Amino acid sequence: MCALSSWIERAGFRMAYRLTDLTYTVGVATPKRTVAGTYWSYEPTNPHGDDPGLRALDATPTDAVILDVGAHVGEHAIPLAVGTDRRVVTIEPNSESADRLTRNAARNNLEGRLDRRQIGVGNEYTTRPFYRSSFSKCSAFDREQATRWGACVTRVEQVPVYRLDDLVRGVGTEGKTGASGHGGEPIPAPDALKIDVEGHELSVLRGAAATIETHRPLLVVEVHGAENAHTTRVRTWLTERGYDIEACEDVWVCRG
């Protein structure tokens, strides 16, 4: 029975990703209604329509600075930017997802409005191999993550990884890496930070420690899965820094 369930799950994911590839290839965009408003996307589904994290982010001022770490194809970033003056900075190391984010942004007339960075973020400045998966959303810095649900690695790319503290103006190295031309221009102090990095949340948070301490942004952290040793460490790190955590299944809305 377990083998049959696993086969059905893998087949379902394979069909879903083939459908997604088709909608981007053909160019079929549909409206997506979310708690942050309606936008257009070439994605065939709307998984974050009633996302509590998206709702919390949309409660920030209409001129807020929001950092979207693990932006994928823009399911948070685009509805947060449409019809507002927010500066939304997207961080997405997967070149395929970054290209699709660009297409979705253009479909919503956001050319030049989203600050898109095709880089990784973590707790040190380095370069790491990034494993492109045949299931795009599974692509990761971890080969095991990239081969979930029967997927396979299609390409390995070398991606620069920065600390957020080195990219945010006024903390860390005060934009030193940004000024070098590799990480982009320094990012203004964030009002909110959304993190969806498939198990690397603690590394991202540690690399943003000075930013979080100095600016106390709203944090929306997607933890993926039941409470375990890793999520306990993330919870401890946040509470030690004075953040209250509202857990809504896999989404933690954290206010300091």
Side-chain angles (χ1 to χ4, degrees):
M1 182 60 73
C2 281
L4 178 60
S5 297
S6 179
W7 182 88
I8 292 172
E9 182 180 46
R10 288 197 301 271
F13 279 110
R14 191 175 299 113
M15 290 177 61
Y17 282 103
R18 285 178 178 172
L19 176 60
T20 301
D21 291 342
L22 179 63
T23 58
Y24 278 94
T25 300
V26 176
V28 178
T30 54
K32 305 296 189 294
R33 293 174 175 82
T34 78
V35 292
T38 299
Y39 72 105
W40 288 78
S41 171
Y42 294 98
E43 291 288 305
T45 61
N46 185 25
H48 298 285
D50 60 352
D51 189 297
L54 182 57
R55 186 188 301 277
L57 292 166
D58 190 50
T60 60
T62 57
D63 61 350
V65 176
I66 299 176
L67 276 57
D68 186 352
V69 179
H72 190 41
V73 298
E75 292 139 320
H76 285 73
I78 292 175
L80 289 168
V82 169
T84 77
D85 292 321
R86 292 187 180 108
R87 178 169 179 179
V88 181
V89 182
T90 63
I91 296 176
E92 176 51 60
N94 182 359
S95 58
E96 181 179 30
S97 294
D99 289 343
R100 290 179 174 183
L101 190 157
T102 299
R103 288 189 61 185
N104 287 324
R107 181 64 180 80
N108 290 274
N109 300 313
L110 292 176
E111 297 96 329
R113 285 280 322 282
L114 294 183
D115 182 349
R116 299 185 296 275
R117 314 282 178 112
Q118 192 183 322
I119 59 175
V121 291
N123 195 28
E124 62 178 338
Y125 173 53
T126 186
T127 300
R128 293 183 58 191
F130 185 84
Y131 300 94
R132 282 273 302 274
S133 175
S134 55
F135 295 170
S136 178
K137 197 171 176 65
C138 293
S139 299
F141 286 105
D142 185 323
R143 181 182 286 273
E144 185 177 350
Q145 289 272 26
T147 54
R148 290 174 294 167
W149 304 314
C152 62
V153 173
T154 61
R155 187 187 306 173
V156 181
E157 302 170 345
Q158 296 298 316
V159 173
V161 178
Y162 297 86
R163 300 186 318 143
L164 280 176
D165 283 344
D166 294 336
L167 298 175
V168 173
R169 183 183 297 124
V171 299
T173 59
E174 298 188 2
K176 181 179 179 181
T177 56
S180 73
H182 297 292
E185 292 300 315
I187 298 168
D191 299 290
L193 172 59
K194 170 246 169 185
I195 303 172
D196 183 3
V197 289
E198 305 289 344
H200 295 279
E201 299 84 12
L202 196 55
S203 177
V204 173
L205 288 167
R206 286 172 172 163
T211 299
I212 291 169
E213 180 65 27
T214 302
H215 301 294
R216 309 301 289 173
L218 168 74
L219 303 176
V220 173
V221 184
E222 300 202 15
V223 293
H224 301 286
E227 190 85 17
N228 54 40
H230 168 70
T231 56
T232 298
R233 287 193 294 271
V234 174
R235 182 183 292 277
T236 300
W237 193 94
L238 291 166
T239 55
E240 285 178 347
R241 284 154 183 82
Y243 272 82
D244 294 324
I245 301 171
E246 178 186 352
C248 307
E249 297 184 352
D250 289 350
V251 178
W252 291 1
V253 178
C254 313
R255 294 181 172 88

